[in-house]
Amino acid sequence: MKLFPSFVFQNRWNVAGFVLGFATLPILWWALSLLDSEEAMMQRFYKSESESVLGGIYWTCKMHWDDHDPQDECTREIITNEDYPFEPADMVEYELKGNATTFRATAQHTGDPLHTVYSIDADGNIHDANGRESD
């Protein structure tokens, strides 16, 4: 059984084209990845830092509610005390309020020139300022 039909490799130029085509795919991918601007990379960094802080807040509050009453308000003092492992990023400002059912927290990276605010709800869904759910 032949892997390719005989007409595909009728001469050496077909073979060379086939090999060259597959050899250039990684190079093409690398070249296209260089087109990403520094601003886009920084925006992804700001987003990931903000979302990381929101995730930390969310899971720290969940631990608090598991240890105590879910109707307790989760506050900055609770999540930063020594009983829980949350340590916020230095350049991310955040706010939080609510109990296990009404919880909401927001975070914004101070270096973000677009000043994008991200939020997380009681179900752990993260959204940007426009209400779009994050990836």
Side-chain angles (χ1 to χ4, degrees), residues 78-131:
I78 289 171
I79 66 170
T80 56
N81 80 30
E82 58 196 37
D83 294 338
Y84 299 106
F86 178 71
E87 291 186 29
D90 292 336
M91 297 190 66
V92 177
E93 297 175 345
Y94 64 94
E95 295 179 14
L96 67 148
K97 62 181 176 183
N99 59 31
T101 56
T102 64
F103 177 75
R104 180 167 170 85
T106 59
Q108 177 183 11
H109 196 284
T110 58
D112 184 359
L114 301 178
H115 307 291
T116 307
V117 177
Y118 297 92
S119 64
I120 191 167
D121 60 23
D123 295 325
N125 300 315
I126 297 178
H127 302 271
D128 65 9
N130 298 324

Side-chain angles (χ1 to χ4, degrees), residues 15-44:
V15 173
F18 185 79
V19 171
L20 186 60
F22 276 102
T24 58
L25 285 177
I27 295 169
L28 180 62
W29 178 83
W30 174 76
L32 290 175
S33 70
L34 293 178
L35 297 176
D36 198 12
S37 68
E38 185 176 341
E39 293 83 21
M41 287 189 293
M42 289 306 295
Q43 279 307 122
R44 282 196 305 276

Side-chain angles (χ1 to χ4, degrees), residues 2-22:
K2 293 183 177 182
L3 184 60
F4 296 102
S6 59
F7 65 86
V8 172
F9 298 118
Q10 287 180 353
N11 62 43
R12 64 178 181 218
W13 295 111
N14 287 2
V15 173
F18 185 79
V19 171
L20 186 60
F22 276 102

